[in-house]
Amino acid sequence: MIAVPLNAFLVVSALLFAIGLYVALAERTAVMVLMGIETILNAVGLNIVAFWRYVQPGDYSGQIFAIIIITIGAIEMAVGLGIMMLLYRRRQTVQVDKYDSLRG
Amino acid sequence: MELAPAAQIFAFAVLAIIAVAGALGMATTMSMFRSGIFLMASFIGVAGLFILLMADLLGMLQIMMYIGGMLVMILFMVLFSDDPGGQMMVGMMKRGTMKMSRIEMLFSRGISPDRGSENMGGEGHMEHGEMSGMSMFTPIKKQAAVLALLAAALLIGLILARPAWPVVDRLPDQNSPGQIGTLLMGKYMIAFEGAGLLILLGIFASVMISRPAEYPDPSDRERLQAAVAENPAPVEPDTIQPILELEPREEDKA
């Protein structure tokens, strides 16, 4: 039996999620917003793996979910980099609140 | 095989502190480059927690994918930013045009401030509105911090108030890569193939998005080629003299 309680992992994950939320909302640079989203995805992965280990250690489906999440994170990062480079070339800025041409 | 309970708690404490403190440093430091490095520390902490939870394949994947792949992308993207080292922000704080909270000062320690008016094109005095336009934070930074604190408090409260989870006292299989591989190739085949297709589409999308919008006119290229063929640029002669004769070595003489 693992000595650390499940709630300890969930609390760490909740803290990571909150920090990621703050970064994604408060920072203006596209890179930092992506970093916040990566932190949120990391928190989700930690949650899933903790639940797998404590509640259902015989079924490895939880880890498959975590692998899919890592894959999605990688794709999101690559597409985000592409979009950011395009917008930088068009607007000469990386600050996300300058990209407001779709505002009504 | 499991570690002794005391060692487990110690490892959990160290790794959790690395993960959370890394994320906190990422969120609060003024230097974007430092943010990337702090994010790496946070990823390493989470990878260690994965290994502590006996998901060793995921821990390795975390280090390889996030630190080997994504962090390189992040540090590449940091190159595009106006103020990657945070000198401008720290300089603004030193001149009193911007306030920094205590935790931001802690994680931004040692960043040398810029000279101020010199870097701003000698304008010297700036309006307050322009100053906040140069900040790396959105105007809703305070509300975002309050919202994040509320979210953390709510989540932790829910976790602690909930009745205990149905925890099973059982060790997972030691051969977790084998189990995951069997599942990926069997039960979750569709998800696996779908992820592969998604990666392919992602590669296409990012190449399509980030390609240059306009290519130079090919007729212009032909004209330039003809001009170069007509009047080639003079080739600079190499100033280093080639070694024509090698001195015979001692053993060759003997």
Side-chain angles (χ1 to χ4, degrees):
Chain A
M1 188 62 194
I2 186 162
V4 187
L6 170 59
N7 279 350
F9 285 96
L10 297 187
V11 167
V12 170
S13 167
L15 288 175
L16 285 179
F17 178 82
I19 293 170
L21 185 66
Y22 165 73
V23 172
L25 288 179
E27 301 270 354
R28 296 177 85 189
T29 323
V31 193
M32 294 297 297
V33 175
L34 282 175
M35 283 197 214
I37 294 172
E38 290 303 318
T39 311
I40 291 177
L41 287 179
N42 234 342
V44 174
L46 182 61
N47 237 336
I48 287 179
V49 176
F51 276 121
W52 161 78
R53 172 72 183 85
Y54 282 90
V55 180
Q56 202 59 271
D59 186 359
Y60 276 76
S61 304
Q63 294 205 28
I64 307 283
F65 271 97
I67 288 177
I68 300 287
I69 286 174
I70 292 178
T71 315
I72 302 290
I75 298 165
E76 168 244 312
M77 207 67 191
V79 176
L81 175 67
I83 292 175
M84 206 203 76
M85 285 187 64
L86 178 73
L87 285 173
Y88 180 75
R89 215 181 285 131
R90 292 265 168 94
R91 306 282 180 90
Q92 303 297 315
T93 180
V94 287
Q95 303 202 329
V96 284
D97 51 357
K98 297 273 171 60
Y99 305 146
D100 57 355
S101 39
L102 281 183
R103 179 190 280 178
Chain B
M1 198 193 87
E2 284 216 303
L3 293 168
Q8 276 184 22
I9 289 174
F10 178 72
F12 172 79
V14 169
L15 293 169
I17 287 171
I18 289 175
V20 174
L24 208 59
M26 186 269 290
T28 54
T29 181
M30 292 296 137
S31 156
M32 242 171 261
F33 179 73
R34 280 194 192 185
S35 286
I37 303 297
F38 275 126
L39 189 66
M40 181 170 76
S42 174
F43 284 158
I44 289 176
V46 174
L49 289 177
F50 281 173
I51 291 170
L52 185 67
L53 286 167
M54 304 188 77
D56 36 14
L57 180 74
L58 275 183
M60 240 176 60
L61 207 64
Q62 167 98 356
I63 290 176
M64 272 163 43
M65 290 280 290
Y66 277 103
I67 295 166
M70 290 186 205
L71 215 76
V72 175
M73 274 198 255
I74 284 175
L75 292 182
F76 177 69
M77 281 149 95
V78 164
L79 297 182
F80 282 91
S81 75
D82 301 323
D83 183 24
Q87 280 114 334
M88 204 169 73
M89 295 293 286
V90 174
M92 274 157 67
M93 199 265 299
K94 282 262 156 52
R95 289 190 297 279
T97 46
M98 190 198 66
K99 284 204 201 83
M100 236 190 242
S101 65
R102 195 165 297 163
I103 186 159
E104 285 172 341
M105 280 187 205
L106 171 71
F107 282 111
S108 312
R109 217 165 51 183
I111 298 175
S112 57
D114 68 347
R115 225 67 55 72
S117 54
E118 288 174 19
N119 287 1
M120 298 184 185
E123 286 161 48
H125 179 74
M126 289 185 89
E127 295 296 321
H128 185 73
E130 282 181 61
M131 218 40 162
S132 68
M134 302 194 63
S135 163
M136 62 185 282
F137 295 106
T138 47
I140 58 158
K141 181 188 167 194
K142 283 215 175 67
Q143 289 93 315
V146 171
L147 181 67
L149 281 178
L150 281 180
L154 179 71
L155 286 174
I156 291 173
L158 283 178
I159 289 164
L160 296 184
R162 198 196 178 280
W165 302 96
V167 172
V168 183
D169 186 6
R170 196 166 38 151
L171 275 180
D173 188 1
Q174 296 290 311
N175 179 21
S176 70
Q179 293 275 354
I180 291 171
T182 313
L183 272 183
L184 270 183
M185 282 296 152
K187 192 176 168 190
Y188 293 104
M189 187 83 182
I190 302 287
F192 179 67
E193 297 290 341
L197 190 66
L198 193 62
I199 290 176
L200 186 70
L201 288 178
I203 293 169
F204 283 165
S206 48
V207 169
M208 284 294 286
I209 286 169
S210 65
R211 82 196 195 287
E214 285 177 9
Y215 287 99
D217 193 8
S219 62
D220 192 44
R221 183 185 162 85
E222 277 166 19
R223 189 181 58 78
L224 284 175
Q225 272 178 345
V228 168
E230 212 169 84
N231 186 16
V235 178
E236 292 282 327
D238 200 353
T239 52
I240 300 168
Q241 291 298 318
I243 301 165
L244 295 177
E245 282 176 30
L246 281 173
E247 290 289 319
R249 286 183 301 182
E250 289 298 316
E251 52 262 45
D252 290 346
K253 281 180 191 166

